[in-house]
Structure formats: structure tokens, C-alpha cells
């Protein structure tokens, strides 16, 4: 379970120190409040497991039929400390710090090639995942309880994942660490991890993702061609984002494609195929499903591998049973258009724009199928999704005729509506300074730009899929088109950026001080606030600190200042107001 729960909490796409600390508190509080219920749940679960033990046993014992595929066990050749190869397959680290992986073959060979080349990176990611879970859920009892629950919860996942993807995962899993076999066998761990993104925001949306994507064409681009940009705002810590992986996959069956993710991932969160089909995913508002089905990243992987048009992408998405709500922005070179496929466990819609050549995707649904969806309406009202949508409209009015450089500027924008300073790291901004990666696609040219660390601020490295997947490609060739790269954001060299990084480091100290675990000096709070003075959270945290110290006059001032800033969500604002009300009562 740690594996899954790690993602249940990690894959939460709200990633700041504040979010992680509050999530941990919510989890502990939830367990404390519901201890008796959990005992009953545990007993009930044993009954359920006994009644459904056949299904659970089948899930645990199931392995894909790998005998149907030929296999050559990879013998990896180390060229240097950052370049490794096996026949045409290779892994290398470019000068911008991005790992580039090229693999080809049948499903089993793909998995083995991927695993053999990325083994050390993949095992490092695994260690990061599980260490995070232990941080969130330190109790062994709770870990065991959750592990048992998730084993039962995932019992039907293998029935909803293509056999060839299971085979690929089996090959990949041969190179997983033995250290975590007590959690689940290697193959099952890899399968479950691919549903972790979904589980993470399905569990009462413990941490929602704030991703932003947009597509423009015709009069909205410099050359009239389709141009797509996206921020994947997924943050599990700087160590998780350290090893970004740009994968180039040439499967035996289907269309070659590229994707951007992390080692050990065969699903797709951002990618484009050789035909110019692009996919990006944005989390939607979900209710908790009764059982895991098809992970959304494997649905988008299937679209890239087998779709050449928007209609074919829609057909693939429609036939798969998912267990969370998700928006899939699909661009198509052949259609010269883009749509948003909106999926959920019990609904399906497609948002197509008319009389315009632009489509924006934040974290709420827009198709007719969801017009009366109560969860979606509430999410639009209370979250930061609509705010970012309006910000995209504003930025497009300011930036006519987009090209890749202008698209990068939009993805890097840190301001609020009308250019308001809303603090660095505010999730109302397009650039929340926590993105795992940003990507820009030019589907008709088959070009893609991938951001280097940190966030979307580093250099955007350009790749040409026409060259990468051509018959004339040289073995171990470096793929990037350096002459087309987009320079790093000048903000990286600014004092403001240095202050933001310092603010992030100091936030954990403030959280500990609020909990009474650490002592801070009188001048610490003003200095902390000066590092990110426009962000409401620094005043809210100070208010909580003074409130817990019973310095109510100081707390009142801090909460009032926080309320004067651009607060991220309606629930966040209500929380500040609640504290202010408590303080006022204390001062009476």
C-alpha cells in the first residue's frame, strides 16, 4: 500500500509545503476522529475480503502472458556516467539536465529495455515515493490498514488494463528494487503505481492538481498552425522532479510517440505521436469510486499509440472505464484542431469550440455533458480553476499571434488578473512555481519543447519527431534541436527567485513553530514574510503562530492582512475568516 498511498497523497497535485503539512494533519485527524469506524471498517473489510477473496487472489496472482513475445535480455553498455545503450536503445542526459530515453520493440522487449537502461533512476524514484508515504503516514498500523484496503481496492485493475501494457510493465518491473517486496510483488507495485495519480485525487480530492493547458491555431498563431502549451503542476518535492525523463518510444505495433514523465512510468501525462496527435491531462473534480479501473495515463498512452485523428482519440477514450474525472486536451495535426475529452466514471463529454480558434483547459469541465454536474459547478465556484481560465483569456488578448517563445512566456506568467502581484507559488497563477514540467507542441511541424529544471523556468529543449523516428536516425544520436531551444526565464537570475527558494525552505520551520515543535525569534516572522510579501499564506501562517502563542492582537493583524491579499480558494478564505472570528472573540 505504501506504494499506493504514497501516491494517494503524493499524487495530489497540490504540492506546496502548506498543502503537504495540511494533508498530513487531515489524515491524522481523520484517523483520530474515525478510530472506532476504522476498527469496524477493518472487521468489515476482513469480511469483504473473505467474500471476495477469489477476486483478490486472482489479482495478486495474475501475471500477463509474456511467453507469446520474443525477448533478448538487455546487456547495457555504459558509454560514460550519463550515457548507456543496448543496440538502438539508449539513455543519455543532455546538458540541460533532462534524461532522454529511446526504446523500441515488442511490449515485453520495451519493458525490459526501459527497465535495464533506467534501473538506477527508477529505483531512486521508488525510494522517493515510499519515503514520502512514511512521512505522511508514519504509523505502521495505518500503513498496514491502508495497504490492505488498497490491495482490495485495486483487485480489478488488471481486468481494465490492456494485456500488452501489462506485459510491458512486467518487463519493466524486473528491474524494480527488492527492498519493497513486502508491500507487493514487483509487477503489482508497478501496475498499482500507474493508478496512483488517479487514486490520489479520487480520495476526496485530498490534493487537487492545478494544471493549465491551452491550444491555439489559425488567427491566434504566427503561422496559422496549431500550437499547444501545458504546465503539469505536480509537486512531490524537488528530489522527485530532479530526474525528468523525455521518452521516445517506437513500439512494434502502433505509432511511435514521445512523452515527458519520470523513470518507471509507461503511461502518458504529456505527449505527442509521430502523426501529430498530442495529449495532456488535467484533473477534474472526482467522487470516490468503488474500485480501481483503467488508469488515465494508460488511456492517454493508448491514444498516442493508436490514434491519428481526434475522432479516433475520442473512440479510444470512450471505450475505456476510468475511475476518476479527468480532462484530456487532444490536439491533431491531421485535423488542424484541438478538443477536450472529459471523462469520469459515469459520464463522458467532448468540448469542441465553434467560431473560434482557441481552447483553454484548467481543472473544470466545459462540455454540455457536465453542464448540470453539481460537483463541477461547486469546483468552478470554490477553486482557482476559473481564475486561471480567465487569466489565459487575458494573456491571449495581450499576446497576439502566438509562437513557441510567446507560449513559453504565457506558461511562465506569475501574475494575477490585470497583472496583480499575488505572491509566488499562488495557485491562481499560470506559473505556480512547482510544475514538474512544461511542454509546448507544434503538431503540424512535429516539434516539441520540454522545460528543463527548475519548474518551467529552465531552457525549453526542442525535439523534432520527424528526425527522431526517421529511418535515417543514427544510433545513439543526440536528438535535441539546440538552435530552436527557448532560453531560460530571466526570473531565474533575479533576487525574487532567490527569495522564493529561501521562503520555501523556511516554510517548514514556520510549520513546526506553529505546531510548537520549534522556537523562532521575534524577527523571524517579518523576515519570512519579506521573502514573499504578496502571498496571503505568509500572513495566515504568522496569524496561526501568534494565535497558538495566545498573542491575539498580533494574530488579528496578520489574519486581516491575509484577507486583503488574493487568497487561493473560497475554502482557504473561509478558513482565514474562521480564525479571525476566533481571535476577535478572544479579544472581547
Amino acid at each position: 500500500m505504501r506504494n499506493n498511498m504514497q501516491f494517494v497523497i503524493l499524487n495530489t497535485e497540490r504540492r506546496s509545503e502548506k498543502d503537504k503539512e495540511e494533508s498530513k494533519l487531515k489524515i491524522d485527524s481523520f484517523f483520530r476522529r474515525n478510530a472506532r469506524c476504522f476498527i469496524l471498517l477493518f472487521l468489515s473489510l476482513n469480511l469483504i475480503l473473505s467474500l471476495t477473496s477469489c477476486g483478490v487472489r486472482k489479482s495478486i496472482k495474475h501475471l500477463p502472458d509474456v511467453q507469446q513475445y520474443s525477448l533478448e535480455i538487455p546487456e547495457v553498455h555504459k558509454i560514460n556516467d550519463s550515457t548507456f545503450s543496448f543496440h538502438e536503445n539508449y539513455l543519455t542526459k543532455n546538458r540541460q539536465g533532462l534524461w532522454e530515453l529511446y526504446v523500441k520493440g515488442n511490449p515485453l522487449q520495451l519493458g525490459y529495455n526501459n527497465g535495464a537502461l533506467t534501473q538506477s533512476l527508477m529505483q531512486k524514484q521508488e525510494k522517493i515515493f515510499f519515503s514520502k508515504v512514511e512521512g505522511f503516514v508514519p504509523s505502521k498500523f495505518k500503513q498496514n490498514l491502508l495497504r490492505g484496503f488498497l490491495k482490495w481496492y485495486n483487485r480489478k485493475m488488471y481486468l481494465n488494463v490492456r494485456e500488452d501494457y501489462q506485459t510491458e510493465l512486467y518487463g519493466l518491473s524486473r528491474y524494480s528494487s527488492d527492498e519493497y517486496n513486502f508491500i507487493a510483488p514487483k509487477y503489482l507495485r508497478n501496475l498499482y503505481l500507474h493508478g496512483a495519480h488517479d487514486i490520489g485525487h479520487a480520495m476526496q480530492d485530498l490534493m487537487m492538481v492545478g494544471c493549465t493547458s491551452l491550444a491555439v491555431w489559425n488567427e491566434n498563431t504566427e503561422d496559422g498552425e496549431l500550437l499547444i502549451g501545458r504546465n503539469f503542476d505536480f509537486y512531490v518535492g524537488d528530489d522527485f522532479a530532479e530526474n525528468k525523463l523525455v521518452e521516445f518510444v517506437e513500439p512494434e505495433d502502433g505509432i511511435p510517440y514521445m512523452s515527458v514523465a519520470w523513470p518507471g512510468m509507461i503511461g502518458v501525462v504529456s505527449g505527442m505521436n509521430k502523426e501529430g496527435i498530442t495529449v495532456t491531462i488535467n484533473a477534474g473534480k472526482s467522487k470516490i469510486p468503488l474500485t480501481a479501473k483503467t488508469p488515465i495515463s494508460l488511456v492517454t498512452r493508448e491514444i498516442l499509440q493508436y490514434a491519428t485523428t481526434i475522432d479516433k482519440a475520442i473512440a479510444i477514450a470512450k471505450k475505456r472505464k476510468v475511475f476518476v474525472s479527468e480532462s484530456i486536451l487532444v490536439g491533431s495535426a491531421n485535423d488542424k484542431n484541438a478538443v477536450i475529452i472529459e471523462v469520469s466514471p459515469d459520464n463522458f463529454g467532448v468540448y469542441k469550440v465553434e467560431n473560434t480558434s482557441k481552447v483553454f483547459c484548467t481543472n473544470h469541465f466545459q462540455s454540455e455533458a457536465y453542464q448540470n454536474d453539481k460537483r463541477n459547478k461547486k469546483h468552478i465556484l470554490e477553486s482557482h480553476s476559473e481564475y486561471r481560465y480567465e487569466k489565459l483569456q487575458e494573456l491571449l488578448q495581450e499576446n497576439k499571434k502566438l509562437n513557441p517563445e510567446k507560449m513559453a512566456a504565457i506558461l511562465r506568467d506569475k501574475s494575477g488578473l490585470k497583472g496583480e502581484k499575488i505572491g509566488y507559488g499562488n495557485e491562481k497563477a499560470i506559473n505556480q512555481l512547482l510544475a514538474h514540467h512544461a511542454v509546448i507542441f507544434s503538431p503540424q511541424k512535429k516539434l516539441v519543447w520540454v522545460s528543463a529544471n527548475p519548474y518551467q523556468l529552465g531552457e525549453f529543449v526542442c525535439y523534432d519527431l520527424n528526425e527522431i523516428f526517421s529511418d535515417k536516425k543514427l544510433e545513439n544520436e543526440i536528438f535535441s534541436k539546440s538552435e530552436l531551444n527557448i532560453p531560460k526565464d530571466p526570473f531565474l537570475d533575479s533576487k525574487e527567485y532567490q527569495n522564493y527558494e529561501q521562503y520555501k525552505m523556511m516554510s517548514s520551520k514556520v510549520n513546526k513553530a506553529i505546531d510548537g515543535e520549534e522556537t523562532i525569534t521575534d524577527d523571524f516572522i517579518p523576515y519570512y514574510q519579506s521573502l514573499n510579501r504578496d502571498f496571503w499564506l505568509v500572513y495566515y501562517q504568522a496569524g496561526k503562530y501568534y494565535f497558538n502563542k495566545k498573542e491575539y492582537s498580533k494574530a488579528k493583524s496578520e489574519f486581516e492582512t491575509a484577507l486583503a491579499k488574493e487568497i487561493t480558494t473560497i475554502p482557504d478564505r473561509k478558513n482565514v475568516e474562521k480564525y479571525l472570528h476566533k481571535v476577535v472573540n478572544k479579544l472581547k
Side-chain angles (χ1 to χ4, degrees):
M1 159 265 137
R2 282 191 211 169
N3 170 6
N4 279 329
M5 186 56 189
Q6 90 188 43
F7 265 140
V8 169
I9 301 159
L10 301 185
N11 238 2
T12 67
E13 301 190 5
R14 293 183 66 158
R15 316 97 311 230
S16 66
E17 287 298 323
K18 160 233 174 185
D19 292 316
K20 290 187 284 183
E21 287 293 328
E22 291 193 352
S23 295
K24 184 176 177 181
L25 291 173
K26 286 178 184 177
I27 294 164
D28 287 340
S29 175
F30 179 71
F31 274 109
R32 285 195 300 270
R33 291 195 317 268
N34 299 281
R36 189 172 300 174
C37 292
F38 263 96
I39 292 171
L40 294 173
L41 172 62
F42 188 71
L43 295 173
S44 301
L45 189 55
N46 282 329
L47 175 61
I48 292 170
L49 288 173
S50 66
L51 294 174
T52 61
S53 59
C54 180
V56 175
R57 281 200 303 270
K58 283 183 180 179
S59 170
I60 294 172
K61 293 182 177 180
H62 171 77
L63 290 175
D65 179 15
V66 301
Q67 301 300 322
Q68 60 183 306
Y69 298 104
S70 61
L71 173 66
E72 180 182 357
I73 302 297
E75 294 184 9
V76 174
H77 172 57
K78 180 178 178 180
I79 298 173
N80 54 51
D81 288 341
S82 60
T83 304
F84 309 85
S85 69
F86 167 64
H87 297 331
E88 292 181 76
N89 307 270
Y90 82 94
L91 173 73
T92 190
K93 192 174 188 178
N94 66 24
R95 66 178 180 82
Q96 292 85 4
L98 297 173
W99 286 97
E100 300 167 345
L101 174 71
Y102 176 85
V103 290
K104 66 182 299 185
N106 64 48
L108 186 61
Q109 193 70 60
L110 280 178
Y112 267 85
N113 293 349
N114 188 338
L117 289 165
T118 67
Q119 184 174 23
S120 63
L121 296 176
M122 183 170 64
Q123 290 189 6
K124 181 179 180 181
Q125 293 299 106
E126 221 177 358
K127 195 172 187 69
I128 292 169
F129 293 158
F130 298 145
S131 66
K132 293 289 184 181
V133 180
E134 289 181 343
F136 280 121
V137 190
S139 165
K140 295 297 182 184
F141 172 75
K142 295 174 186 177
Q143 290 173 6
N144 289 333
L145 184 62
L146 286 164
R147 181 165 63 242
F149 170 73
L150 288 167
K151 187 184 295 182
W152 171 79
Y153 184 80
N154 285 318
R155 71 195 182 281
K156 292 185 179 180
M157 185 183 288
Y158 78 99
L159 298 173
N160 292 278
V161 175
R162 291 171 56 108
E163 186 77 10
D164 53 347
Y165 292 167
Q166 292 188 52
T167 299
E168 187 175 339
L169 282 170
Y170 175 85
L172 181 72
S173 71
R174 297 308 87 194
Y175 298 89
S176 294
S177 172
D178 292 323
E179 184 179 350
Y180 305 105
N181 288 347
F182 70 95
I183 295 171
K186 293 180 180 181
Y187 165 69
L188 279 181
R189 289 209 313 270
N190 277 264
L191 179 62
Y192 292 169
L193 276 172
H194 280 72
H197 161 93
D198 312 63
I199 295 169
H201 78 77
M203 301 299 270
Q204 295 184 333
D205 295 316
L206 193 57
M207 291 158 113
M208 273 287 298
V209 186
C211 300
T212 302
S213 55
L214 70 156
V216 289
W217 60 99
N218 291 344
E219 74 277 6
N220 293 308
T221 60
E222 195 171 72
D223 56 10
E225 294 187 356
L226 184 62
L227 189 67
I228 297 167
R230 81 95 94 252
N231 284 338
F232 186 58
D233 290 313
F234 170 81
Y235 184 77
V236 192
D238 294 336
D239 50 356
F240 176 82
E242 181 183 347
N243 292 311
K244 291 184 177 69
L245 186 65
V246 186
E247 300 182 47
F248 303 94
V249 182
E250 198 157 353
E252 186 177 67
D253 180 38
I255 305 164
Y257 67 91
M258 69 77 61
S259 75
V260 188
W262 47 88
M265 179 72 160
I266 73 162
V268 176
V269 295
S270 307
M272 179 167 73
N273 71 17
K274 191 180 177 183
E275 292 289 326
I277 288 288
T278 71
V279 293
T280 62
I281 59 174
N282 286 30
K285 191 71 174 176
S286 288
K287 61 182 179 182
I288 300 178
L290 295 176
T291 183
K293 294 181 181 177
T294 310
I296 194 68
S297 69
L298 294 181
V299 176
T300 47
R301 156 74 185 269
E302 187 175 358
I303 289 172
L304 281 194
Q305 192 170 346
Y306 294 102
T308 56
T309 65
I310 286 173
D311 285 343
K312 290 180 180 178
I314 293 170
I316 289 170
K318 199 166 190 177
K319 71 181 180 181
R320 296 298 172 204
K321 296 178 180 179
V322 299
F323 59 106
V324 293
S325 300
E326 201 87 20
S327 296
I328 308 171
L329 192 151
V330 177
S332 170
N334 292 325
D335 297 294
K336 300 176 183 175
N337 207 331
V339 303
I340 301 173
I341 302 173
E342 298 175 341
V343 300
S344 64
D346 50 13
N347 205 352
F348 185 91
V350 178
Y351 179 64
K352 298 180 179 179
V353 295
E354 296 180 3
N355 304 318
T356 186
S357 303
K358 59 187 178 185
V359 61
F360 302 150
C361 185
T362 48
N363 294 104
H364 61 270
F365 291 149
Q366 304 173 64
S367 67
E368 189 174 338
Y370 292 89
Q371 289 303 305
N372 297 316
D373 187 287
K374 291 181 180 179
R375 283 179 174 272
N376 190 48
K377 285 183 175 180
K378 184 179 179 183
H379 187 56
I380 292 172
L381 179 66
E382 293 188 347
S383 75
H384 44 76
S385 183
E386 180 70 15
Y387 188 98
R388 283 181 287 113
Y389 191 94
E390 292 176 6
K391 182 62 181 179
L392 284 177
Q393 292 178 314
E394 182 181 280
L395 288 170
L396 208 62
Q397 286 294 318
E398 297 170 359
N399 298 274
K400 306 291 186 182
K401 303 286 185 182
L402 293 188
N403 56 27
E405 289 77 13
K406 290 181 179 180
M407 180 66 82
I410 286 176
L411 297 178
R412 290 167 168 171
D413 190 279
K414 297 168 283 294
S415 65
L417 290 171
K418 299 180 180 178
E420 180 187 359
K421 292 183 177 181
I422 59 176
Y424 297 120
N426 194 320
E427 291 177 49
K428 282 188 169 181
I430 303 300
N431 176 6
Q432 301 170 21
L433 288 173
L434 44 75
H436 179 272
H437 63 261
V439 185
I440 299 169
F441 299 110
S442 179
Q444 288 157 271
K445 293 184 177 71
K446 310 300 188 297
L447 295 176
V448 55
W449 288 261
V450 180
S451 68
N453 281 329
Y455 322 121
Q456 59 277 74
L457 302 177
E459 187 175 1
F460 274 83
V461 181
C462 182
Y463 301 95
D464 186 341
L465 297 198
N466 287 317
E467 290 186 6
I468 292 169
F469 295 122
S470 70
D471 295 332
K472 297 178 181 179
K473 175 180 63 66
L474 299 174
E475 187 173 343
N476 300 333
E477 180 183 5
I478 300 300
F479 290 147
S480 61
K481 304 278 290 182
S482 57
E483 69 275 13
L484 296 179
N485 287 359
I486 299 171
K488 68 178 183 179
D489 191 333
F491 177 69
L492 267 179
D493 298 321
S494 69
K495 178 64 174 175
E496 287 80 5
Y497 174 73
Q498 294 176 24
N499 287 345
Y500 175 72
E501 290 296 300
Q502 181 71 12
Y503 150 78
K504 279 175 55 182
M505 288 190 291
M506 293 177 70
S507 291
S508 60
K509 188 177 181 72
V510 173
N511 286 326
K512 289 178 181 178
I514 291 170
D515 295 336
E517 298 174 3
E518 191 164 326
T519 302
I520 55 178
T521 59
D522 290 341
D523 58 352
F524 184 92
I525 291 291
Y527 176 66
Y528 168 68
Q529 292 173 332
S530 73
L531 297 172
N532 201 358
R533 65 177 69 254
D534 298 308
F535 195 23
W536 69 276
L537 186 62
V538 297
Y539 304 100
Y540 172 61
Q541 295 290 75
K544 287 200 295 182
Y545 171 72
Y546 289 128
F547 181 84
N548 290 346
K549 290 192 70 178
K550 296 182 171 52
E551 297 183 36
Y552 298 123
S553 293
K554 289 182 180 180
K556 179 175 180 290
S557 176
E558 298 293 350
F559 290 134
E560 287 174 341
T561 303
L563 287 170
K565 302 294 181 181
E566 189 65 64
I567 296 180
T568 308
T569 66
I570 296 297
D572 283 332
R573 174 168 287 277
K574 287 181 177 178
N575 206 27
V576 180
E577 290 171 345
K578 181 181 72 174
Y579 264 104
L580 181 59
H581 181 70
K582 287 181 181 179
V583 167
V584 170
N585 285 337
K586 294 285 187 182
L587 290 171
K588 285 181 179 178

